[in-house]
Amino acid sequence: MKIHRFITDANLDDDAVMLTGDLFHQIKNVLKLKINETIDLSDGHGIARRGTITTITKTSVDVHLHETLSALESTKRVVLYCAILKRENFELVVQKATEIGASEIVPVHTERTVKLGIKMDRLQKIALEAAEQSGRSVVPTIHEPMKFADALDDAKRNDTNTILHMDGKDLPQTKTSIGLFIGPEGGWSKNELTLAASAGLVATSLGPRPLRAETAAIIATYLNV
């Protein structure tokens, strides 16, 4: 039987927690879980515990926590710098990159970005739900959008950085942290590729076939977690 995982801001150091609000609604009214059923709770920052529902009222669910769970997280930090795509495509990137194990997702304004605005609250909700669905104990950070030059500066904190381009080398592997730069639907401009090279980014490729930006983002994340 599937054990549902929920991410909460409750203090998981305690052995008994009370869940209210949207989480209460999801447990009681959507999933219709009952007393004595087992659920997993995570704080979204790496701590996860298993518990049993002990009480269900009209406004809350009480859970007794009795087991600490191992974190299903990669030992590497993968930061996905993805050009802002059309709404549904960028939301897909956030969802799948979260499920795969990305640590952070940075929306990037590029010269050929078509859509500039994003809804941060919606993206954060998608990341939260994807983390719960995939059994993660960490919700990736969704950064505010950055200009390309600012993203290059931010990437200095990573041990390795690569920019995806069809003419690049094989995608590198790292044991520590990596920044993955994924371009927009129209690809990188010559100026951006020059700036990336000056910043020390290595141009890498996922193969000879042109891939949609969202496909490249998902595959590159998978290959590096």
Side-chain angles (χ1 to χ4, degrees), residues 121-179:
D121 55 345
R122 177 166 172 77
L123 294 180
Q124 289 163 349
K125 182 179 180 182
I126 289 172
L128 174 66
E129 292 175 349
E132 289 180 335
Q133 187 278 329
S134 58
R136 292 190 63 181
S137 56
V138 172
V139 180
T141 301
I142 310 295
H143 291 264
E144 292 288 342
M146 296 183 188
K147 294 180 180 179
F148 182 70
D150 294 331
L152 291 177
D153 187 60
D154 180 79
K156 292 177 182 177
R157 61 194 171 96
N158 305 320
D159 294 312
T160 304
N161 291 291
T162 182
I163 185 166
L164 271 288
H165 189 263
M166 283 189 62
D167 295 331
K169 305 175 182 178
D170 291 340
L171 194 66
Q173 294 293 315
T174 177
K175 295 182 179 179
T176 49
S177 64
I178 186 169

Side-chain angles (χ1 to χ4, degrees), residues 195-215:
L195 288 174
S198 299
L201 274 68
V202 178
T204 56
S205 172
L206 292 174
R209 296 185 182 89
L211 299 176
R212 295 177 64 92
E214 60 271 24
T215 304

Side-chain angles (χ1 to χ4, degrees), residues 49-65:
R49 296 188 67 184
R50 180 157 292 171
T52 302
I53 297 175
T54 56
T55 307
I56 300 177
T57 71
K58 292 183 178 180
T59 59
S60 65
V61 171
D62 293 328
V63 180
H64 172 67
L65 301 176

Side-chain angles (χ1 to χ4, degrees), residues 88-146:
E88 62 274 13
N89 295 345
F90 198 77
E91 289 178 357
L92 178 67
V93 168
V94 170
Q95 181 189 61
K96 298 308 177 186
T98 297
E99 291 177 8
I100 292 167
S103 305
E104 303 174 37
I105 300 172
V106 182
V108 181
H109 289 296
T110 70
E111 290 185 21
R112 293 174 180 168
T113 296
V114 175
K115 180 176 175 59
L116 297 179
I118 60 173
K119 296 181 178 179
M120 288 294 296
D121 55 345
R122 177 166 172 77
L123 294 180
Q124 289 163 349
K125 182 179 180 182
I126 289 172
L128 174 66
E129 292 175 349
E132 289 180 335
Q133 187 278 329
S134 58
R136 292 190 63 181
S137 56
V138 172
V139 180
T141 301
I142 310 295
H143 291 264
E144 292 288 342
M146 296 183 188

